[in-house]
Amino acid sequence: MALAEQEREGGVGIHVSPMLTPPDVGNLLSQAGFNIPTVDIDRITYHYSDMFVLMRHLQGMGENNASIHRRQYCKLPTLVAANAVYDHMFGTNVAEDDQSDNHVRVVPATFEIIHMIGWGPHDSQQKPLSRGSATFSLKDIDNSNMFEVTETSLNKKQ
């Protein structure tokens, strides 16, 4: 989009809402008062016939641009050019189905779905140990044989 917009309109506008990273989400949960925040990501890649179908799906998912200072519209020649650039840079040919030798041109789009959970504070939750209470230094892991597997240790487990 940026290449087409720069070429057609002489500048680039804001077209996506600010994106969050997993550390951002974990920090937000902590700042909101949740304990033991856990964040997981699913990355899913879909293939679309063109950028316009992708844009309709984004709109259907509610992934419109929420920025206050965004442009209210894009000119059609800019969108057509963006579609051509997207197809040229990322498009690929894939088989229509397993039985056919016919191929169709598609463009990929990868979505990151962020799952998060945090627990409300409660007295029964585990508390971190006090600073300096460890009995083993992480610096000594390379120098130790604590992870060494021997025949004797294997026999003990049986």
Side-chain angles (χ1 to χ4, degrees), residues 144-151 153-154 157:
S144 76
N145 62 358
M146 68 183 284
F147 298 110
E148 186 177 314
V149 177
T150 63
E151 187 176 329
S153 65
L154 290 175
K157 291 180 182 177

Side-chain angles (χ1 to χ4, degrees), residues 112-125:
E112 287 189 345
I113 302 166
I114 300 176
H115 307 273
M116 58 191 149
I117 187 170
W119 298 92
H122 193 270
D123 293 336
S124 66
Q125 286 179 348

Side-chain angles (χ1 to χ4, degrees), residues 45-85:
T45 301
Y46 286 101
H47 293 90
Y48 293 94
S49 58
D50 58 39
M51 183 187 81
F52 300 107
V53 175
L54 166 61
M55 291 173 78
R56 280 193 298 276
H57 283 193
L58 288 170
Q59 187 176 24
M61 288 188 281
E63 291 297 329
N64 298 15
N65 185 352
S67 300
I68 295 171
H69 301 292
R70 71 184 186 278
R71 288 186 188 177
Q72 295 300 315
Y73 64 93
C74 255
K75 296 177 183 174
L76 182 59
T78 303
L79 291 173
V80 171
N83 185 51
V85 169

Side-chain angles (χ1 to χ4, degrees), residues 10-156:
V12 178
I14 300 170
H15 293 286
V16 294
S17 298
M19 298 200 186
L20 292 173
T21 64
D24 293 335
V25 173
N27 290 338
L28 288 171
L29 285 170
S30 294
Q31 290 173 7
F34 290 100
N35 292 332
I36 316 170
T38 304
V39 180
D40 191 21
I41 298 177
D42 286 326
R43 286 182 182 86
I44 302 171
T45 301
Y46 286 101
H47 293 90
Y48 293 94
S49 58
D50 58 39
M51 183 187 81
F52 300 107
V53 175
L54 166 61
M55 291 173 78
R56 280 193 298 276
H57 283 193
L58 288 170
Q59 187 176 24
M61 288 188 281
E63 291 297 329
N64 298 15
N65 185 352
S67 300
I68 295 171
H69 301 292
R70 71 184 186 278
R71 288 186 188 177
Q72 295 300 315
Y73 64 93
C74 255
K75 296 177 183 174
L76 182 59
T78 303
L79 291 173
V80 171
N83 185 51
V85 169
Y86 192 17
D87 182 71
H88 177 74
M89 291 178 72
F90 304 106
T92 185
N93 294 321
V94 296
E96 278 185 352
D97 56 46
D98 294 337
Q99 311 300 325
S100 173
D101 289 336
N102 296 335
H103 287 76
V104 293
R105 187 82 175 163
V106 295
V107 290
T110 301
F111 300 94
E112 287 189 345
I113 302 166
I114 300 176
H115 307 273
M116 58 191 149
I117 187 170
W119 298 92
H122 193 270
D123 293 336
S124 66
Q125 286 179 348
Q126 290 181 334
K127 306 287 187 268
L129 296 175
S130 61
R131 191 168 183 85
S133 63
T135 59
F136 189 83
S137 173
L138 294 177
K139 290 187 285 186
D140 296 334
I141 287 179
D142 285 341
N143 301 330
S144 76
N145 62 358
M146 68 183 284
F147 298 110
E148 186 177 314
V149 177
T150 63
E151 187 176 329
T152 308
S153 65
L154 290 175
N155 290 336
K156 287 180 183 177

